[in-house]
Amino acid sequence: MSDSPGLAVSSGSAPPAEAEPRLDPPAEPKPLAPQRVRPLLRPGRWIVSAVVLVLVAQIIHGLVTNPFYQWDRFQYWFLRPTILEGLLVTLEVAVYSAVLGLIGGVLLALARLSPSPVLRAVSWVYTWLFRSVPLIVILLFLYNFSALYRTLSVGVPFGPAFFSFDESRLATDMVVAVIGLSLNEAAYASEVVRGGILSVDQGQHEAASALGLPKRYQFAKIVFPQALRSITPNYVNQLIGLVKGTSLVFYVSLLDLFGSVQSMGSTYPGDIVPLLLVATAWYLILTSVVSVIQFYVERYYSRGALRTLPPTPLQRLRTGLGELRVRVRKETAI
């Protein structure tokens, strides 16, 4: 025993330590067999797709097998000289009206954004008026314009005239159609152009002004090219509407595509349906060409805004075929 109080030392040997359990090494995991990742089943999508395909097949079957459409007569009329002459008139009216309408739209948009209250008021009233009046009313009013003003003169306002000319000789059917469509198109184009200009970041205007660039140079080289990214898709929609709107010039005695179809339909009443199909096919071709031009114009003006340009239809086709080949090879290997 120890002399220190509270402490005790036991005599004898210490108990033997317990033996530690032996641990076996972990078993190596078995390699998993390769399994194919299956996509999530979406039965609703497949059902809707099947219904749509059935409806499309029924429509195509009805177009092909219904004798009422007279596809042989459609083939006869499709490239007739009368139809092609009307198509040429449609193209002329559409091109002239699109160019003049865009020029007028740019001028009206600049006037609307001008600090001058007179220019802003005149631009707003013009846009309000021509967007409110139907196009057919504008065309018929211009067609009968000679009844209101038989002669037009150029001279000093409220003073003597330098020279005058007969309005009825100047206002041919083509001129009336182009002026009417251009006036109507300029009203809509002005809002498209104004929206595109307003979409340009204000910092671009401030940076151009800080560099001391003239206003004309700022608009032509900095503001307007950036605004075209927003203007192009909207104005192309207007062009498509303009191409279809040329069908109304038939009411001012101008035989465009629709006018030629109407004229031939009255002469050959049994071919009304194939003639209407001919007009439909040509309008589809014209709007498709405009849509293709729209794609490449948008792609051109998106170079400074996107990291990679959107692929063309040919590039998409090549990419799709390449992905299909890779998928087929993987499935074959599995």
Side-chain angles (χ1 to χ4, degrees), residues 78-119:
F78 188 73
L79 295 176
R80 297 296 297 173
T82 304
I83 302 298
L84 296 180
E85 290 175 2
L87 177 64
L88 181 61
V89 172
T90 296
L91 291 174
E92 291 180 357
V93 173
V95 171
Y96 293 150
S97 302
V99 174
L100 295 177
L102 181 59
I103 294 174
V106 172
L107 296 177
L108 288 171
L110 294 178
R112 185 75 178 275
L113 298 173
S114 172
S116 172
V118 175
L119 295 179

Side-chain angles (χ1 to χ4, degrees), residues 204-272:
Q204 300 293 321
H205 298 269
E206 296 173 355
S209 300
L211 293 174
L213 301 177
K215 290 292 184 180
R216 294 180 181 178
Y217 190 88
Q218 293 180 25
F219 178 78
K221 299 297 183 180
I222 297 177
V223 177
F224 195 66
Q226 297 183 61
L228 281 175
R229 291 188 60 248
S230 176
I231 293 173
T232 301
N234 297 319
Y235 188 67
V236 170
N237 289 332
Q238 288 295 121
L239 289 182
I240 293 175
L242 175 64
V243 171
K244 296 185 295 184
T246 55
S247 59
L248 296 176
V249 301
F250 169 69
Y251 294 98
V252 294
S253 302
L254 186 63
L255 289 179
D256 66 323
L257 176 60
F258 182 73
S260 301
V261 167
Q262 286 286 89
S263 178
M264 292 296 100
S266 60
T267 305
Y268 302 93
D271 291 348
I272 293 179

Side-chain angles (χ1 to χ4, degrees), residues 138-195:
I138 297 174
L139 291 173
L140 292 177
F141 184 83
L142 292 176
Y143 188 69
N144 297 281
F145 193 74
S146 59
L148 299 174
Y149 302 95
R150 295 186 178 276
T151 59
L152 298 177
S153 59
V154 177
V156 179
F158 310 105
F162 298 147
F163 59 91
S164 59
F165 48 88
D166 189 0
E167 191 272 339
S168 60
R169 294 182 179 180
L170 179 64
T172 61
D173 297 338
M174 175 65 74
V175 172
V176 169
V178 171
I179 292 178
L181 289 172
S182 300
L183 293 176
N184 182 77
E185 188 69 15
Y188 291 93
S190 65
E191 291 299 292
V192 173
V193 174
R194 186 173 70 92

Side-chain angles (χ1 to χ4, degrees), residues 4-28:
S4 301
L7 295 177
V9 178
S10 60
S11 60
S13 60
E18 296 180 357
E20 296 182 357
R22 184 179 180 182
L23 299 178
D24 296 331
E28 296 182 0

